[in-house]
Amino acid sequence: MLSDDHVNEIIIQVENVSSGVQSHPSSNQIFQEKVLLDSSINMVLSISDIDVIDSQTVSKRNDQKGNQVLRFSTSLNESMSQTLHSLECMGIDTPGSSHETVQGQKLIASLIPMTSRDRIKAIRNQPRTMEEKRNLRKIVDKEKSKQTHRILQLNCCIQCLNSISRAYRRSKNSLSEILNSISLWQKTLKIIGGKFGTSVLSYFNFLRWLLKFNIFSFILNFSFIIIPQFTVAKKNTLQFTGLEFFTGVGYFRDTVMYYGFYTNSTIQHGNSGASYNMQLAYIFTIGACLTTCFFSLLFSMAKYFRNNFINPHIYSGGITKLIFCWDFTVTHEKAVKLKQKNLSTEIRENLSELRQENSKLTFNQLLTRFSAYMVAWVVSTGVAIACCAAVYYLAEYNLEFLKTHSNPGAVLLLPFVVSCINLAVPCIYSMFRLVERYEMPRHEVYVLLIRNIFLKISIIGILCYYWLNTVALSGEECWETLIGQDIYRLLLMDFVFSLVNSFLGEFLRRIIGMQLITSLGLQEFDIARNVLELIYAQTLVWIGIFFCPLLPFIQMIMLFIMFYSKNISLMMNFQPPSKAWRASQMMTFFIFLLFFPSFTGVLCTLAITIWRLKPSADCGPFRGLPLFIHSIYSWIDTLSTRPGYLWVVWIYRNLIGSVHFFFILTLIVLIITYLYWQITEGRKIMIRLLHEQIINVSPLGSL
């Protein structure tokens, strides 16, 4: 039996005996054919009283194929007429009137485009003998199989598109299964989610997401910048002492780690070999990396926003988890226990959030909390401003301090002070929760994130001002390498402080809470502080990728170590959140903070560097140029003289180099964001109205 995909247009052809050819069948043969055809035609014409309800049901199910029936109705009528005419020529009586013939034609026309299941069901429901039903099925199958070559050609494109679509869906599902099977820390994340809930799990998901980012950036830099430089690199004559791992100076200065080591010449091996422009490779690779990060951030924000804000199931309160929750494919004992723990945690989070949303405060309580909020914000803002001022004056003094002190460890002063501020101040912010007392834990995390991001991004902004206005204009030899070394030390010092805090600070807090002051108990995992540590480190990596191309590789190693250290500390030194809450929307907020102000600030900093600052005269791939961007200008001028590359010149001048293009692109992004926001508000109103209707209609609601 043919598949339903081939049922697009049916033209029924009946082989007739040519009028010019005489046929002389035997009497037995005529009698057998007469009996067979009489039975078939009587059966076809007699089912004209087919149930109307079945026809309507079938027509509704085949709504998309209704137009296809009209295409072959004319040929079907001609075919049936030829069939009846052939029977008359053979001397067989055709029972029924012309009205019954038309009804029989309509019956076959309605059976052919049906699916196999619907067609069998329609034939089975007829009050006819089994033999008649078999004959009807044979006739319909025969007519379906008689598709002409012309119809196959017309449907060839549709069939190819359907095949390609099916192949794409299958390959996409297979790739998704493969990626899920090789996904990092899948089992560990399930254990964390089952014990500590989705709020703590969101931090580890964000860490894994950043790790994938840095792996891609490292592969890109290693392929197009580092490997070509290895082919022309000179031997490093400096002595390695081991102190370079902490200071970033000395032996590492003359390696592919920093900007100043890369050549500005065109790499070419042999007279006939292909040339490789290191200037264009350097700036295009960094640009491609940042562009990919930009669109990946936008895509990830849109994806998580759709899944966590727009889909209606997030407003259902997770009741379906309680009723239709169990996966019966899970049979292993440990997997079953882990599934039960995850399920109970999610239900507890949903119920706790519903209870907190329904709680109401009196006017005096609201006034007291509002006053506490204002005091906390004033104090936190004052602390942040004081810290930023301290970093600013220390940075201004740092360059003179390094000139007067020859000790190699002197370069660690600025990173040490900045790391101390980044470790101590967020802990002070976390103590404000004792005064503010937020009902919703999510609101508490949001407030802490905003305070910490204001502190850390302000410090990074002051450091960028110091690098671009003091270091770059100081006349130092190869100032790009000096900035790369500063960023490396900041990143390394922040990582060391984080490890010390995980293995020493959190362990001491556990000892104090369990043995010395038992009323404190175990502490809860500070999501805001730990997430801001990741955002701070990733912002430094994006800024330093131009001055230190190996930073993504260093960050990749640090994130890998950080995951295991945080996981061990979490299991040993922390307890689950006292207030269970659902953190399905936290990932969207994390990525948004990473995009703005982190990534947008990085783009502004690198844009000022490339379009406004003069490169060093004696080091780096852009030595001797008045500006970094002049390498692109020279390349465009060269392409404008070649007719085959004028399309590249047009794209640069009208798109990449046009302010109007980026203005329109920004406007489109804002419009899409606004539409997503409106869709979210509409879904919330729809869910609320449907919920009210259910309460009003339900018998329990009337009670």
Side-chain angles (χ1 to χ4, degrees):
M1 187 173 293
L2 296 177
S3 64
D4 297 328
D5 294 332
H6 295 85
V7 185
N8 293 323
E9 294 180 359
I10 305 298
I11 296 180
I12 301 176
Q13 295 181 345
V14 180
E15 297 180 358
N16 299 325
V17 180
S18 177
S19 58
V21 181
Q22 299 293 332
S23 177
H24 302 280
S26 62
S27 59
N28 292 333
Q29 183 179 0
I30 293 175
F31 178 76
Q32 293 175 359
E33 292 178 353
K34 174 178 175 61
V35 172
L36 179 60
L37 290 173
D38 279 346
S39 175
S40 300
I41 294 174
N42 286 331
M43 178 266 302
V44 171
L45 297 178
S46 61
I47 8 178
S48 59
D49 56 345
I50 185 172
D51 192 356
V52 178
I53 298 177
D54 290 340
S55 299
Q56 292 177 352
T57 303
V58 171
S59 63
K60 290 180 181 178
R61 291 182 181 177
N62 299 276
D63 179 60
Q64 297 178 350
K65 297 181 179 180
N67 294 330
Q68 298 173 356
V69 177
L70 297 177
R71 297 178 183 175
F72 61 82
S73 59
T74 305
S75 58
L76 181 63
N77 294 334
E78 296 176 356
S79 175
M80 291 298 297
S81 301
Q82 292 174 2
T83 304
L84 296 175
H85 179 69
S86 301
L87 295 176
E88 292 175 355
C89 293
M90 294 176 64
I92 302 174
D93 297 332
T94 58
S97 61
S98 60
H99 177 69
E100 294 175 340
T101 303
V102 173
Q103 291 179 341
Q105 295 174 2
K106 292 181 179 179
L107 173 63
I108 297 179
S110 63
L111 289 174
I112 289 177
M114 290 184 186
T115 62
S116 300
R117 180 176 297 179
D118 292 337
R119 186 168 56 251
I120 293 173
K121 184 177 179 180
I123 296 175
R124 185 181 297 167
N125 291 337
Q126 302 308 311
R128 302 299 169 192
T129 62
M130 187 62 66
E131 186 65 25
E132 291 175 344
K133 293 179 182 179
R134 290 197 187 100
N135 291 334
L136 176 59
R137 184 175 177 180
K138 290 179 182 179
I139 292 174
V140 175
D141 291 342
K142 184 177 180 181
E143 300 303 333
K144 284 175 65 66
S145 64
K146 290 182 178 180
Q147 298 184 6
T148 61
H149 181 67
R150 179 178 64 86
I151 300 303
L152 292 176
Q153 288 180 341
L154 291 176
N155 295 330
C156 180
C157 295
I158 299 177
Q159 294 174 5
C160 291
L161 291 176
N162 292 335
S163 301
I164 294 173
S165 177
R166 287 194 297 269
Y168 170 75
R169 289 195 299 268
R170 291 171 183 172
S171 61
K172 182 179 179 181
N173 294 333
S174 301
L175 181 62
S176 178
E177 292 177 358
I178 294 174
L179 292 178
N180 289 332
S181 62
I182 63 175
S183 183
L184 285 174
W185 307 312
Q186 194 72 21
K187 183 179 178 180
T188 306
L189 292 176
K190 290 182 179 179
I191 296 174
I192 294 173
K195 185 175 182 180
F196 293 91
T198 57
S199 57
V200 178
L201 179 63
S202 62
Y203 165 79
F204 290 91
N205 283 329
F206 186 61
L207 189 151
R208 184 177 65 171
W209 188 79
L210 288 178
L211 178 62
K212 296 177 182 178
F213 243 149
N214 287 277
I215 290 175
F216 170 79
S217 300
F218 167 70
I219 292 174
L220 204 63
N221 288 351
F222 186 77
S223 302
F224 296 100
I225 298 180
I226 298 174
I227 291 180
Q229 180 62 31
F230 272 134
T231 60
V232 295
K234 297 179 181 180
K235 186 178 180 180
N236 194 343
T237 58
L238 298 177
Q239 184 180 2
F240 181 77
T241 61
L243 189 62
E244 292 85 352
F245 283 114
F246 300 98
T247 62
V249 299
Y251 181 84
F252 287 159
R253 182 184 178 91
D254 290 339
T255 61
V256 293
M257 185 171 177
Y258 294 117
Y259 163 91
F261 182 74
Y262 291 86
T263 181
N264 66 332
S265 61
T266 300
I267 301 175
Q268 185 174 4
H269 298 281
N271 296 327
S272 59
S275 59
Y276 194 81
N277 193 322
M278 199 62 190
Q279 288 183 350
L280 297 178
Y282 197 94
I283 197 168
F284 280 150
T285 302
I286 301 299
C289 180
L290 294 177
T291 303
T292 305
C293 292
F294 175 78
F295 286 106
S296 298
L297 285 171
L298 286 181
F299 175 77
S300 299
M301 280 194 298
K303 175 184 175 182
Y304 285 106
F305 188 84
R306 183 187 66 242
N307 294 337
N308 299 326
F309 285 90
I310 295 180
N311 288 344
H313 68 82
I314 66 170
Y315 306 108
S316 62
I319 302 303
T320 54
K321 287 281 185 180
L322 185 61
I323 305 175
F324 312 105
C325 57
W326 191 254
D327 184 6
F328 287 94
T329 60
V330 179
T331 56
H332 194 269
E333 183 178 358
K334 292 184 178 179
V336 169
K337 292 182 179 179
L338 184 60
K339 185 73 174 178
Q340 291 174 346
K341 185 177 292 185
N342 276 306
L343 181 61
S344 61
T345 304
E346 290 186 29
I347 295 175
R348 187 163 54 91
E349 290 173 351
N350 291 326
L351 295 177
S352 176
E353 189 166 310
L354 289 175
R355 184 174 61 253
Q356 292 165 3
E357 289 178 353
N358 294 328
S359 63
K360 296 181 180 181
L361 301 176
T362 62
F363 177 77
N364 292 332
Q365 291 176 335
L366 290 175
L367 184 60
T368 303
R369 292 198 175 184
F370 181 77
S371 302
Y373 297 160
M374 290 297 297
V375 172
W377 274 104
V378 170
V379 173
S380 63
T381 306
V383 171
I385 293 175
C387 293
C388 292
V391 172
Y392 174 77
Y393 287 110
L394 180 62
E396 291 292 332
Y397 175 72
N398 183 64
L399 204 58
E400 297 179 0
F401 176 79
L402 294 179
K403 291 180 181 179
T404 57
H405 291 76
S406 58
N407 188 354
V411 295
L412 298 176
L413 175 62
L414 180 62
F416 179 81
V417 173
V418 172
S419 297
C420 287
I421 292 175
N422 287 330
L423 179 64
V425 175
C427 294
I428 298 175
Y429 288 166
S430 299
M431 295 174 63
F432 288 168
R433 71 179 67 180
L434 301 176
V435 178
E436 294 175 314
R437 296 182 181 275
Y438 286 98
E439 288 292 333
M440 298 288 293
R442 183 190 294 110
H443 297 165
E444 179 181 325
V445 174
Y446 286 160
V447 170
L448 288 176
L449 283 172
I450 294 173
R451 289 170 181 167
N452 285 299
I453 198 70
F454 176 75
L455 172 69
K456 293 179 180 291
I457 296 301
S458 299
I459 292 176
I460 292 178
I462 292 172
L463 293 175
C464 289
Y465 177 83
Y466 160 71
W467 291 326
L468 301 183
N469 290 274
T470 303
V471 178
L473 303 179
S474 63
E476 293 286 338
E477 181 183 359
C478 202
W479 58 268
E480 296 92 346
T481 298
L482 294 179
I483 294 178
Q485 292 172 353
D486 279 345
I487 296 176
Y488 169 77
R489 289 191 289 266
L490 284 169
L491 191 65
L492 181 64
M493 190 65 66
D494 182 76
F495 173 71
V496 171
F497 269 65
S498 180
L499 287 182
V500 171
N501 181 56
S502 296
F503 288 110
L504 184 60
E506 294 170 355
F507 175 74
L508 291 178
R509 172 64 177 79
R510 174 177 176 269
I511 297 298
I512 293 173
M514 295 298 294
Q515 297 182 4
L516 300 180
I517 308 176
T518 56
S519 59
L520 293 177
L522 290 176
Q523 59 182 332
E524 297 181 9
F525 190 78
D526 193 341
I527 301 172
R529 180 173 58 84
N530 287 278
V531 166
L532 262 298
E533 288 180 359
L534 297 179
I535 295 178
Y536 170 79
Q538 189 61 40
T539 306
L540 290 177
V541 170
W542 279 333
I543 296 175
I545 194 174
F546 186 82
F547 309 103
C548 181
L550 273 180
L551 272 186
F553 176 72
I554 298 172
Q555 176 70 353
M556 186 174 65
I557 297 176
M558 291 180 178
L559 289 176
F560 197 82
I561 299 174
M562 185 70 67
F563 181 89
Y564 287 102
S565 63
K566 290 293 183 181
N567 182 34
I568 294 173
S569 177
L570 179 70
M571 296 299 175
M572 293 177 56
N573 305 320
F574 291 92
Q575 64 175 345
S578 57
K579 292 182 179 180
W581 56 286
R582 188 164 44 94
S584 59
Q585 300 171 355
M586 291 299 298
M587 194 68 177
T588 308
F589 194 67
F590 294 162
I591 298 176
F592 176 76
L593 290 178
L594 188 65
F595 179 78
F596 180 84
S598 175
F599 187 75
T600 52
V602 170
L603 293 181
C604 294
T605 303
L606 293 181
I608 294 173
T609 303
I610 295 173
W611 268 273
R612 292 290 183 266
L613 299 181
K614 182 180 179 179
S616 298
D618 300 325
C619 68
F622 301 98
R623 68 188 73 171
L625 295 178
L627 296 173
F628 292 95
I629 195 62
H630 274 239
S631 60
I632 302 295
Y633 294 159
S634 302
W635 179 62
I636 292 297
D637 293 339
T638 303
L639 293 181
S640 60
T641 60
R642 301 177 182 179
Y645 296 94
L646 292 178
W647 60 276
V648 179
V649 179
W650 184 91
I651 290 175
Y652 175 80
R653 291 176 178 174
N654 294 277
L655 297 181
I656 301 177
S658 175
V659 179
H660 300 88
F661 171 74
F662 288 99
F663 174 77
I664 295 174
L665 184 63
T666 305
L667 188 63
I668 292 174
V669 172
L670 292 177
I671 291 174
I672 294 175
T673 305
Y674 175 76
L675 291 177
Y676 268 110
W677 182 261
Q678 290 299 317
I679 292 173
T680 303
E681 295 300 321
R683 291 287 177 87
K684 290 181 180 179
I685 295 174
M686 180 186 67
I687 295 298
R688 179 174 57 82
L689 294 176
L690 292 175
H691 186 262
E692 291 177 356
Q693 292 179 5
I694 293 174
I695 293 177
N696 294 332
V697 174
S698 175
L700 295 177
S702 61
L703 296 177

